[in-house]
Amino acid sequence: MKKAIMALTIFVLLLATLSGCSSPKSDFTSTLKKTAENKQFTTNVTFQVNNLSDNYIKKLGSDIDLNQLKKSNIQYKISVDSDSSSSYSAYSLHWKGKEPLDLTLHALQNSEDGKAYIPVADIYDAADSFSSLLSNSAAQIFNKVLAQNKDLESKYLNVFETFQNFSNQTIDSETVDRQAEELKKIEEASGIAIYSYLNNLDDKHFTSKDNGDIVLNLSKNEIKDLVNDVFTALDNDGNIITLLSEIDGSSQKEAQKKWNSGEKSVRSSLKNLTSNKNQTLDFKLTLTPDSKKGFSKAVITTNFEDSKTKDLINLTTTIDMLDYEKVPPMPEGKDIVSKKELDKAISDGLKLYLSSAN
C-alpha cells in the first residue's frame, strides 16, 4: 500500500514538473492560439515612426520634419464578434504637422461574405478634414454636395458597390459577393502562411523576460523567407489574380503579368537586402500574455539601417487588446445607399463643377 501511495505521489510530482516545463516558443504559440480562440474581442493597433533618415523625410515633402512624424500616428481599431460573423473597424490618421489633421473612418464587415459598409456619417463628421485636403473650389463643391444630400447621412455605403460605381463598372451583386469572398480567402491564406512559418521556427528565436513577456526576434533572412512564404501561399491560392483582374477590368493573363512583376520586384529587393552586408533589418515582437485575452499587448519594432548610405527607418507597431466593445448590427435594405442615391450625389457634384468652370 505504501509503495502504491509513493508511486502515485511520484507520478503526480512528475506531471506537475512536466506541466511547468514550458518553453518561450510553446508559451508564444499557446498565447497566439488562446487569442485566436476568443470569439469576441476588441483590439487597437497604433503605427508610429520613431526615426527616419533625412533622405526619406525629404521624399515625403519639404514641409515635413522628423518631429512631426514622431508626434503623429496611424491607428486601426477593430471589434470582432465571431458569433454574428461581423466586425467593426475604425481607421484613424492623426497628423501633427503645420496643418494638423485628425481623420477617422469606420467600416462594418460581414466575415461570411466579406461585404463591408462605411457609415456616411463619418464623411459628414470629417468634412472639415476632407476640405482641408482639397482646393478651395473643390472644398466648396464637396460641402455643397453634402448639404444637398443630408438624407444619406444616416445610411451606409457598400464599399464594393461604391468602388464599382466610381470606376464606371456595372454594379453586379454577384460580382460584389464574389470579390468579397476572394478577399476573404486571400486574408486566410496569408494568415495561415504567417502562422505556419512562425510555428516552424527554432526555439532560439524566442526568449522570455523576467516580467513574463515573450520576445520573438527575426533577422533579415528570416523576414525574406516569411514574405516569400506568403507570396507562395497567395500564388497557390490564385484568388488574388482573379480579384486584380476584376478590379482592373483586365484579363486574367494581364492581371497575372502585373502581379508577377510586383512580386518579382519585392522578392528581388529582399534578396538584395540579405546579400548586402551594409544593410541590416531587424524585427522584434514582444508579447505580454493574458490569461483571458491571450495577450494584453504586443509591441513590434522594425529597424532598418544602411551603414554605407546612412539610410535609417525605425518603426513601432503597438497592439493593445481592449475590453470587448459591441459590434453594431449590419445595415440592411433602406439603410444602405442605393445606386440611384449615389448617382444623384455624383451628379450633383458634377453639375456644381461644370457651373463653376463656366
Side-chain angles (χ1 to χ4, degrees):
M1 184 67 179
K2 289 182 179 180
K3 289 183 179 181
I5 293 175
M6 182 172 289
L8 180 61
T9 302
I10 292 173
F11 180 68
V12 171
L13 288 173
L14 181 61
L15 282 178
T17 302
L18 290 174
S19 64
C21 290
S22 61
S23 68
K25 179 181 177 179
S26 64
D27 290 342
F28 182 89
T29 53
S30 63
T31 295
L32 291 185
K33 182 180 178 183
K34 186 179 292 183
T35 302
E37 290 173 348
N38 290 330
K39 291 188 175 182
Q40 293 180 326
F41 65 88
T42 298
T43 184
N44 188 71
V45 182
T46 303
F47 178 79
Q48 190 88 37
V49 174
N50 301 319
N51 204 352
L52 202 62
S53 52
D54 290 339
N55 59 320
Y56 287 127
I57 295 176
K58 289 177 182 177
K59 293 178 181 179
L60 298 175
S62 58
D63 58 341
I64 294 177
D65 58 44
L66 181 59
N67 188 50
Q68 293 171 344
L69 290 171
K70 292 171 72 172
K71 289 181 178 180
S72 307
N73 64 64
I74 297 173
Q75 292 189 13
Y76 170 64
K77 183 178 180 181
I78 182 170
S79 288
V80 175
D81 184 357
S82 299
D83 292 332
S84 64
S85 301
S86 60
S87 64
Y88 189 49
S89 308
Y91 305 83
S92 302
L93 170 62
H94 304 289
W95 174 245
K96 305 305 177 184
K98 295 179 181 178
E99 296 183 8
L101 179 67
D102 288 287
L103 181 63
T104 298
L105 291 176
H106 297 85
L108 264 170
Q109 185 169 17
N110 186 320
S111 59
E112 284 293 325
D113 56 21
K115 288 183 180 179
Y117 305 90
I118 296 175
V120 179
D122 280 359
I123 300 175
Y124 282 85
D125 292 340
D128 290 341
S129 295
F130 281 122
S131 296
S132 67
L133 301 173
L134 303 172
S135 64
N136 290 334
S137 58
Q140 290 179 1
I141 293 173
F142 172 73
N143 287 305
K144 285 182 180 179
V145 170
L146 292 184
Q148 293 174 3
N149 294 273
K150 285 285 289 182
D151 54 322
L152 302 183
E153 187 174 2
S154 62
K155 298 189 176 186
Y156 288 80
L157 288 168
N158 183 309
V159 174
F160 283 95
E161 289 187 354
T162 302
F163 177 81
Q164 286 186 347
N165 197 303
F166 277 101
S167 61
N168 294 319
Q169 296 182 32
T170 303
I171 293 181
D172 178 359
S173 60
E174 291 185 3
T175 301
V176 172
D177 292 343
R178 186 171 62 253
Q179 290 180 352
E181 184 63 26
E182 287 161 359
L183 183 59
K184 179 184 175 184
K185 289 179 179 178
I186 291 168
E187 293 172 350
E188 290 175 349
S190 301
I192 292 172
I194 293 171
Y195 182 82
S196 297
Y197 181 83
L198 296 180
N199 196 42
N200 289 326
L201 284 174
D202 293 337
D203 290 356
K204 65 181 181 181
H205 296 90
F206 303 85
T207 56
S208 293
K209 298 173 70 174
D210 292 339
N211 63 357
D213 287 354
I214 309 165
V215 181
L216 165 66
N217 287 287
L218 296 179
S219 67
K220 62 180 182 180
N221 286 292
E222 290 148 353
I223 294 172
K224 179 197 71 174
D225 292 340
L226 173 57
V227 174
N228 286 338
D229 278 6
V230 172
F231 274 132
T232 300
L234 293 178
D235 289 338
N236 293 337
D237 177 69
N239 282 285
I240 194 163
I241 303 301
T242 304
L243 184 61
L244 286 174
S245 172
E246 293 180 346
I247 290 176
D248 290 345
S250 59
S251 66
Q252 288 268 330
K253 186 176 181 180
E254 291 172 331
Q256 182 74 62
K257 185 177 180 180
K258 184 176 182 179
W259 168 254
N260 288 346
S261 176
E263 180 181 342
K264 183 179 179 181
S265 176
V266 174
R267 286 185 186 265
S268 177
S269 297
L270 289 170
K271 185 177 180 180
N272 293 336
L273 169 67
T274 54
S275 62
N276 190 332
K277 295 182 179 180
N278 296 314
Q279 296 181 343
T280 60
L281 177 63
D282 302 302
F283 176 95
K284 180 180 178 182
L285 167 60
T286 303
L287 278 180
T288 302
D290 184 274
S291 58
K292 294 181 179 179
K293 300 174 182 176
F295 69 85
S296 58
K297 181 185 287 289
V299 179
I300 303 169
T301 56
T302 306
N303 187 64
F304 167 78
E305 291 186 56
D306 189 315
S307 59
K308 186 176 182 179
T309 63
K310 305 304 178 183
D311 289 345
L312 171 67
I313 302 175
N314 185 272
L315 312 170
T316 296
T317 303
T318 304
I319 305 172
D320 292 297
M321 296 297 290
L322 310 176
D323 292 334
Y324 175 66
E325 298 176 13
K326 189 176 180 181
V327 178
M330 286 290 158
E332 296 179 348
K334 294 183 179 180
D335 293 334
I336 302 171
V337 176
S338 67
K339 175 174 172 32
K340 183 178 180 180
E341 291 172 323
L342 186 58
D343 285 343
K344 177 187 177 300
I346 295 173
S347 177
D348 289 344
L350 183 59
K351 289 176 182 177
L352 289 168
Y353 171 75
L354 293 174
S355 63
S356 66
N358 295 329

